[in-house]
Amino acid sequence: MRPIGVAPQTLCWHCSRPIDCSADEQAARYIYRGEQPLTIMVEDWMHCSCGAYQNVRRLTEITVEAIGNT
């Protein structure tokens, strides 16, 4: 999976601090079908330092590659 485009800055709904999406420590991840072929919408629920949780959505491309010798 590879994100498409630049991720917008997401602010916490409770304290308005920026959410650090690079930490890769999501509390939950949901995946929804994208509108174009081979795309999905990835929704990560991130924990803010104030204690609130914020959802961060990102359009993502799916690439399937063969592994090993066939």
Side-chain angles (χ1 to χ4, degrees), residues 52-69:
Y53 288 88
Q54 174 67 46
N55 64 328
V56 178
R57 287 186 166 199
R58 186 98 190 261
L59 185 62
T60 305
E61 177 183 37
I62 298 174
T63 304
V64 179
E65 299 176 2
I67 296 178
N69 296 331

Side-chain angles (χ1 to χ4, degrees), residues 9-14 16-19 54:
Q9 184 178 27
T10 302
L11 302 177
C12 176
W13 66 271
H14 184 258
S16 299
R17 291 183 204 152
I19 300 292
Q54 174 67 46

Side-chain angles (χ1 to χ4, degrees), residues 8 21 33 44 61:
C21 298
R33 183 182 310 204
D44 291 324
E61 177 183 37

Side-chain angles (χ1 to χ4, degrees), residues 5-54:
V6 178
Q9 184 178 27
T10 302
L11 302 177
C12 176
W13 66 271
H14 184 258
C15 69
S16 299
R17 291 183 204 152
I19 300 292
D20 180 16
C21 298
S22 65
D24 198 31
E25 295 180 10
Q26 70 269 9
R29 173 170 274 184
Y30 297 92
I31 299 174
Y32 305 99
R33 183 182 310 204
E35 294 181 10
Q36 296 93 21
L38 300 177
T39 63
I40 58 173
M41 182 63 68
V42 175
E43 180 180 77
D44 291 324
W45 283 85
M46 308 296 289
H47 184 253
C48 182
S49 57
C50 76
Y53 288 88
Q54 174 67 46

